[in-house]
Amino acid sequence: MSLSLNEIEATARKAARGAGLSWGEAEEAGRATRWLCAHGLDGCGDLAVLLRGPRHPGPDISPGQWSASRPLCALRTGIALSDFAHLLPGGPIRLTPVAHPRLLLPFASAAARALCKTITLHSAGFIATTDGTQTALTGQPQSKAAVTLTLGGTVTRPLPSARRATPAPTDWARLLSFAARTYAPATEASRLAGAGAGLSDND
């Protein structure tokens, strides 16, 4: 099943909202999922895993280290990165640890673009470098891992761009299931309003 990036973003946004995220978080989830898919990565799978798992917190921010009592939510940490990207020129930031860290990539890209700098993410199993326009990724991140953000690096062998995505059927079904929770249940009034002539028939 091949889907447009617009379909991906809209469904991801609704799924995130249906899973209980705030509207702002849901908007960011939709954009992040689209970004990942647009770079040939499994954004739908990443979001489906995040939404069906336990809720993780955003970071407590202190100089050089962002952490919490439990593993950090990559989405909420990414949103914080968007707000506090200006801290990166002050030195590396260590995130300890992050659940589903690949979801950080769209936010790191946006931060690099805002700073007009290159940002590198180091973690067990993967290194990613982004200049805000192109992103290179080596390896695969673990499901939970500490991540260090630093300025600098070179984007070699950037990820290819894609205009469509083919999510795994199980992941797409899960997102649709969450999205369905945003639909208002039918009421007697809505059923009558959508039933053509309703109770009035002048024929």
Side-chain angles (χ1 to χ4, degrees):
M1 175 175 52
S2 176
L3 300 168
S4 72
L5 297 180
N6 285 340
E7 291 175 282
I8 294 290
E9 181 175 356
T11 300
R13 180 174 61 247
K14 290 177 183 176
R17 181 57 181 162
L21 275 62
S22 70
W23 275 116
E25 290 172 335
E27 291 283 350
E28 295 291 354
R31 285 192 283 265
T33 303
R34 179 189 182 121
W35 187 98
L36 290 167
C37 291
H39 289 79
L41 301 173
D42 186 13
C44 292
D46 288 343
L47 182 63
V49 170
L50 182 145
L51 296 181
R52 77 167 185 259
R55 289 291 173 264
H56 294 288
D60 295 324
I61 296 175
S62 58
Q65 181 160 309
W66 298 4
S67 60
S69 59
R70 293 179 288 129
L72 295 170
C73 171
L75 180 63
R76 289 170 173 161
T77 303
I79 293 171
L81 178 59
S82 297
D83 293 335
F84 294 97
H86 62 276
L87 297 178
L88 266 171
I93 296 174
R94 181 173 170 81
L95 313 174
T96 57
V98 182
H100 320 302
R102 191 162 64 178
L103 278 163
L104 290 171
L105 294 180
F107 301 98
S109 176
R113 190 163 55 251
L115 294 171
C116 297
K117 302 286 186 180
T118 301
I119 295 176
T120 297
L121 297 80
H122 299 266
S123 184
F126 90 105
I127 298 175
T129 305
T130 178
D131 61 8
T133 301
Q134 295 182 314
T135 300
L137 174 64
T138 302
Q140 293 295 329
Q142 299 176 357
S143 60
K144 294 178 185 177
V147 179
T148 299
L149 306 174
T150 59
L151 289 185
T154 303
V155 178
T156 57
R157 300 182 64 184
L159 293 168
S161 60
R163 295 186 177 182
R164 300 185 70 83
T166 307
T170 53
D171 293 329
W172 188 244
R174 185 168 287 113
L175 295 184
L176 290 176
S177 177
F178 280 121
R181 299 180 185 178
T182 65
Y183 305 144
T187 64
E188 188 63 23
S190 66
R191 283 191 289 269
L192 291 174
L199 296 178
S200 175
D201 189 347
N202 296 319
D203 293 340

